[in-house]
Amino acid sequence: MKKLIQGIVDFRKNLTEESRTLFAKLALGQKPDSLFIACSDSRVVPNLFASTNPGDLFVLRNIGNLIPPLSDSAQDSSASAVIEFSLFSLNVSDIIVCGHSECGAMRALVEGVEFQCCPHLESWLKYGEEAVKKVREGLIINPALSEQNQVSQVNVLQQMEHLKTYPFVRERLEKKELRIHGWWFDIAQADVYCYEQELNQFILIDEKEAELILGRANNPA
């Protein structure tokens, strides 16, 4: 808490005139072009590794970067509400599902931890169970990874499929008005990877991969 409070004091003291102007503009409204779905893990900071400014990303963070499919969304409506707002109110053109290495939620799923004192957590993690099942049935993207990290990568793909259960998401995908991306953040290396379906691999986002991603965005099939 001490570090947090000191950070607020430092932020106020070091805020540049350019930043003050930016915040004054943002007070009038937001126009992010992407919804970024990430884990609540304190080590995952999208604005840091993506070098974005305030107003650039609309962010949903929860344990395990999970999305309830449409059939269950009434029970866990917070994530579904974010998706609706990002599309109908903000009209984002891209949704990014970003998992990460050494995810505690994935570890709990792999190890089958008992949650006697955490029934809400246990209920929430059910949206990641299919990823564990798929890995143990042979869906391996990177065999060099631990089972926990293999599940984390497959979970990204699973949550992308959950997004597609929403009719308004499917409609925008079909009209080429929306793109869904799967990313994965390697904490130890501070590297971000993008899933390439044709290769069935998460590819490091370097300058070459960045050009491919942006090229597809500018020239949708």
Side-chain angles (χ1 to χ4, degrees):
M1 188 64 175
K2 180 179 179 181
K3 185 175 182 180
L4 180 65
I5 296 300
Q6 187 58 51
I8 293 173
V9 172
D10 291 343
F11 172 76
R12 184 173 183 274
K13 182 172 25 177
N14 299 320
L15 193 64
T16 65
E17 197 58 39
E18 181 181 5
S19 295
R20 290 185 185 279
T21 301
L22 171 61
F23 279 107
K25 181 179 179 181
L26 289 173
L28 302 176
Q30 59 172 327
K31 292 184 179 180
D33 59 13
S34 301
L35 166 60
F36 199 97
I37 301 171
C39 184
S40 299
D41 194 300
S42 63
R43 300 165 294 179
V44 179
V45 187
N47 294 87
L48 178 62
F49 63 67
S51 298
T52 54
N53 292 317
D56 289 343
L57 290 178
F58 192 62
V59 180
L60 166 63
R61 299 186 66 169
N62 61 49
I63 293 176
N65 43 275
L66 303 176
I67 297 296
L70 179 63
S71 58
D72 288 346
S73 64
Q75 299 177 27
D76 300 284
S77 59
S78 176
S80 304
V82 170
I83 298 166
E84 290 176 350
F85 186 81
S86 68
L87 290 176
F88 290 110
S89 294
L90 300 177
N91 198 33
V92 301
S93 56
D94 293 270
I95 299 178
I96 300 149
V97 180
C98 184
H100 68 94
S101 64
E102 320 313 328
C103 179
M106 300 302 108
R107 183 176 69 250
L109 286 167
V110 167
E111 296 178 357
V113 177
E114 295 293 333
F115 294 100
Q116 295 93 340
C117 62
C118 305
H120 296 94
L121 177 59
E122 182 177 22
S123 177
W124 177 251
L125 287 179
K126 69 182 180 182
Y127 301 121
E129 290 175 350
E130 187 66 20
V132 179
K133 180 181 177 183
K134 287 182 176 180
V135 168
R136 291 178 175 170
E137 289 178 347
L139 178 56
I140 306 298
I141 297 175
N142 184 350
L145 297 177
S146 65
E147 184 180 31
Q148 175 185 347
N149 287 340
Q150 289 176 19
V151 170
S152 177
Q153 290 196 339
V154 172
N155 181 61
V156 168
L157 308 187
Q158 187 61 46
Q159 303 315 311
M160 292 168 68
E161 292 304 310
H162 286 177
L163 279 168
K164 295 173 186 176
T165 65
Y166 293 83
F168 54 87
V169 171
R170 289 199 307 272
E171 180 181 357
R172 292 184 183 226
L173 287 171
E174 292 167 359
K175 291 181 178 180
K176 311 298 181 186
E177 297 173 351
L178 177 68
R179 294 172 292 272
I180 298 178
H181 313 267
W183 289 9
W184 194 72
F185 178 52
D186 184 334
I187 293 175
Q189 301 300 319
D191 282 329
V192 183
Y193 294 78
C194 176
Y195 181 71
E196 292 289 353
Q197 185 173 5
E198 292 184 0
L199 302 174
N200 189 35
Q201 289 290 324
F202 280 87
I203 305 299
L204 177 67
I205 303 181
D206 54 14
E207 291 184 2
K208 180 179 179 182
E209 179 65 13
E211 289 180 3
L212 290 174
I213 296 171
L214 293 175
R216 288 195 294 264
N218 294 327
N219 299 285

